Amino acid sequence: RKSHQKPDVCYTYGYQRFSVLGALITTMVLMVGSVLVIISACKRFLHPVLVHYDGMICLAIFGVLVNGLATYITHSDHFNERAVHIHMLEDVLGWVVVLVGAIIIKFTKFYWIDSVLCIFVAIFILWEAMKNFEGIFHLFMEHVPEHISVSEVQEWVLEIPGVKEVHHIHLWSMDQESVYLTMHVVSASKNFNKVKETIRESLSSKGITHITIEMEDERDTCLEEACHGSSVSSVHREK
């Protein structure tokens, strides 16, 4: 709910990152929890304890059904929802482990099976949480979104009539969904507004939702130090 609040004078970009912050906290809990489960399971493997397998089977069937439904509902590629999905997946896999382990123990009395299955599930959850953490880290560090690249933006902009050069490009996302772009565009056109509008329409159709353009003519000198000496930050239209 917080992430859907509108921008204000304190958070001029809005509150989208609160959703990402929630994903970070949930993912950290999953990672720490998985490590603790692995440690506990290793101890129980060395010193197996008796378990009530009939009670485990009854509870496990109920747990698989409820958490399986929750896992299906929370399936998403968004970091926050994905973190919740991983948490639900952990639950449903945990109950599957309880069910399988209880059945094996019931017929074999191999009580150490419970610990082994727990370790496998914890390792799986830890791996998934670490991948989610990597994506969240890239988002906080304003990494270029996965589905788009600076070179693609350069190509699209240079195809627009009147554009001579594009440089000082910054491309990032606040919440994995909205894509932000700022850049300097050199144009020989006398109608900067028309060129800007054409650029906005072209890039908006590519999924870039927030575009800021600094227009310059060929006589202007860009004072931004990052614009110079880099083939990535400055591209000219070939003659």
Side-chain angles (χ1 to χ4, degrees), residues 151-194:
S151 60
E152 286 179 321
V153 172
Q154 291 171 337
E155 291 174 6
W156 295 334
V157 175
L158 288 172
E159 289 174 355
I160 296 173
V163 175
K164 293 292 184 181
E165 180 189 345
V166 56
H167 55 254
H168 202 49
I169 298 175
H170 297 279
L171 189 64
W172 75 101
S173 176
M174 295 292 293
D175 58 357
Q176 196 186 11
E177 296 178 357
S178 55
V179 180
Y180 292 71
L181 168 69
T182 65
M183 62 182 173
H184 292 195
V185 175
V186 178
S187 175
S189 173
K190 295 181 179 180
N191 191 343
F192 276 5
N193 288 334
K194 182 178 179 180

Side-chain angles (χ1 to χ4, degrees), residues 11-12 26 30 45 62 83 149:
Y11 292 87
T12 56
T26 305
L30 287 169
F45 178 79
F62 179 76
S149 68

Side-chain angles (χ1 to χ4, degrees), residues 16 34 41 61 104-105 109 126 141 175 186 195 201 204 217:
Q16 300 101 311
S34 296
I61 293 173
I104 294 175
I105 292 171
K109 299 300 188 288
L126 179 61
M141 295 303 294
D175 58 357
V186 178
V195 174
E201 291 177 358
S204 294
D217 63 31

Side-chain angles (χ1 to χ4, degrees), residues 37-108:
V37 168
I38 292 172
I39 294 173
S40 177
C42 288
K43 291 180 179 178
R44 292 191 63 166
F45 178 79
L46 297 175
H47 304 285
V49 297
L50 298 179
V51 296
H52 192 290
Y53 41 78
D54 288 330
M56 289 170 62
I57 292 173
C58 294
L59 286 174
I61 293 173
F62 179 76
V64 168
L65 293 175
V66 173
N67 287 281
L69 178 62
T71 302
Y72 176 78
I73 293 174
T74 58
H75 178 71
S76 173
D77 290 330
H78 190 276
F79 289 131
N80 191 26
E81 294 172 357
R82 177 172 167 74
V84 176
H85 174 71
I86 295 174
H87 180 68
M88 293 294 101
L89 185 62
E90 178 187 35
D91 285 346
V92 73
L93 287 177
W95 283 114
V96 169
V97 165
V98 171
L99 179 59
V100 173
I103 293 173
I104 294 175
I105 292 171
K106 180 179 177 69
F107 293 101
T108 66

Side-chain angles (χ1 to χ4, degrees), residues 106-149:
K106 180 179 177 69
F107 293 101
T108 66
K109 299 300 188 288
F110 292 159
Y111 293 101
W112 52 266
I113 290 293
D114 182 50
S115 299
V116 173
L117 294 175
C118 282
I119 290 173
F120 279 118
V121 171
I123 290 174
F124 171 75
I125 295 300
L126 179 61
W127 175 255
E128 291 295 317
M130 288 175 64
K131 289 195 296 184
N132 205 49
F133 178 82
E134 181 183 12
I136 295 170
F137 176 79
H138 286 166
L139 197 60
F140 270 118
M141 295 303 294
E142 299 186 347
H143 188 282
V144 174
E146 297 291 338
H147 64 282
I148 197 170
S149 68

